[in-house]
Amino acid sequence: MAILVTGGAGYIGSHTVLTLLERGDDVVVIDNLSNASRTSLDRVAELTGREPTVYIADILDKEALRTIFSRHNITDVIHFAGLKSVSESVKEPLAYYENNVTGTLVLLHEMLAAGVNHFIFSSSATVYGNPESVPLNEQARTGGTTNPYGTSKYMVEQILADFSHAQPDFRITCLRYFNPVGAHPSGRIGEDPNGIPNNLVPYISQVAIGKLETVSVFGNDYPTPDGTGVRDYIHVMDLATGHLAALDSQDKGAAFKVFNLGTGIGYSVLNLIEAFEKAAQTQIPYQFVARRPGDIAECWSDPSLARTELGWQATHNLDDMMRDTWNWQKNNPNGYRM
């Protein structure tokens, strides 16, 4: 019995693989390393004393998936593999729909053929589009997404809902993440973006290490306590345990389930900068610039359903998130590249 983790060498994937191995699960990983490093899994093995079985292949490759399902007694699939940059998705929508939507369809076809019927999908709070109100619970309106990345996640959720009606033996859980940050407390694995980071926290950390000059804060005139945008940030280790909780609850309740994974707390951009300065013991230069089109004032989760049904809740606060991010960054100034 083994768990297949697609995209298991990536940021959230590697932390989840580590958590699975630590509790004794057998793990098989498939990753094409397009936005990940094999070194992450080497370090996971170093930290846990156990190695996942790794296939360097793409989920669009039917033969590779067929080989994995034939060689291993896979009982569950956790599906992280996909492209994830909002800005890149606007420039390359076809690549996002092919990887994120078609890739999921190929994976589901091979699961059906292999008789594997437990599936956890790495979704996103972007499926809510522009929120009508906050905090967001799972019954909030979805759709109206503002970029192809979010639309691809929304489309896959729709596909999975339809698929679960047609295949009542399948157990499907969609986990809608808010903003993953942080790193393993060892500082050995963490977020390693290609090029200039698209997300705020890795950008702040690269300013702190001296790789980038200043943080641009997009807008300081929002109707929020300090005028800057407010978001829900969640530690990657809390996300990892959220996947384990979902895995253990697959056979309970409905065949198709959706959960928010967040802290339920909104932090502003200036809150993050201040917390990072405290963790790194250094000043972070920043400048206010114009709002970006499509940005909203505030967005955070109501994670109470996951607490009630999965017995899961986030345990790390903002100081923990920034401390572990800085510990990763200062020990790995070039990420996994030496």
Side-chain angles (χ1 to χ4, degrees), residues 42-314:
D42 295 337
R43 293 188 181 183
V44 163
E46 164 202 310
L47 289 165
T48 62
R50 302 184 64 225
E51 292 194 19
T53 302
V54 181
Y55 291 84
I56 308 303
D58 198 295
I59 57 165
L60 288 160
D61 185 342
K62 296 180 182 180
E63 293 303 321
L65 288 171
R66 208 159 291 169
T67 296
I68 291 170
F69 285 118
S70 66
R71 288 182 181 173
H72 305 276
N73 182 18
I74 305 293
T75 55
D76 302 81
V77 175
I78 303 178
H79 180 34
F80 294 107
L83 300 176
K84 62 177 186 177
S85 166
V86 167
S87 58
E88 184 184 63
S89 76
V90 175
K91 299 172 187 171
E92 300 182 41
L94 295 184
Y96 274 70
Y97 292 126
E98 181 177 31
N99 279 271
N100 297 3
V101 180
T102 306
T104 304
L105 291 173
V106 172
L107 178 59
L108 290 170
H109 278 297
E110 294 309 316
M111 287 180 66
L112 262 180
V116 180
N117 60 7
H118 287 73
F119 188 77
I120 294 175
F121 175 56
S122 167
S123 192
S124 165
T126 55
V127 301
Y128 293 115
N130 288 323
E132 295 173 329
S133 62
V134 289
L136 285 159
N137 64 29
E138 291 82 357
Q139 282 70 52
R141 176 187 57 80
T142 55
T145 47
T146 58
N147 54 76
Y149 166 74
T151 305
S152 73
K153 293 292 187 182
Y154 175 67
M155 290 171 73
V156 171
E157 282 201 12
Q158 298 303 300
I159 289 165
L160 292 172
D162 291 341
F163 182 62
S164 72
H165 288 304
Q167 298 289 334
D169 290 339
F170 256 73
R171 292 293 178 267
I172 297 171
T173 304
C174 296
L175 299 178
R176 293 173 179 163
Y177 316 152
F178 280 70
N179 294 273
V181 296
H184 190 263
S186 67
R188 297 292 289 156
I189 60 172
E191 187 169 11
D192 183 21
N194 287 333
I196 297 174
N198 291 298
N199 296 326
L200 177 61
V201 172
Y203 199 102
I204 291 173
S205 65
Q206 290 198 12
V207 170
I209 205 80
K211 294 183 73 173
L212 296 170
E213 287 188 10
T214 186
V215 177
S216 293
V217 179
F218 296 98
N220 63 340
D221 57 350
Y222 286 107
T224 60
D226 63 22
T228 66
V230 171
R231 300 290 185 271
D232 189 339
Y233 296 89
I234 178 170
H235 199 294
V236 67
M237 293 307 299
D238 282 330
L239 270 185
T241 60
H243 287 80
L244 270 63
L247 197 66
D248 295 341
S249 300
Q250 284 280 75
D251 290 320
K252 301 173 188 174
F256 178 79
K257 295 174 281 191
V258 175
F259 298 100
N260 286 335
L261 295 187
T263 62
I265 301 170
Y267 298 108
S268 75
V269 176
L270 295 185
N271 290 154
L272 258 68
I273 291 173
E274 182 181 353
F276 205 98
E277 288 179 333
K278 177 181 172 184
Q281 293 293 293
T282 190
Q283 189 170 1
I284 308 293
Y286 65 88
Q287 60 181 351
F288 294 116
V289 297
R291 295 184 188 187
R292 289 178 299 194
D295 272 357
I296 55 176
E298 51 190 0
C299 178
W300 70 88
S301 70
D302 174 356
S304 58
L305 187 65
R307 184 172 64 248
T308 302
E309 294 199 13
L310 301 180
W312 171 91
Q313 63 182 2

Side-chain angles (χ1 to χ4, degrees), residues 27-39:
V27 179
V28 178
V29 169
I30 180 172
D31 200 304
N32 67 5
L33 303 183
S34 65
N35 191 31
S37 170
R38 174 59 200 259
T39 304

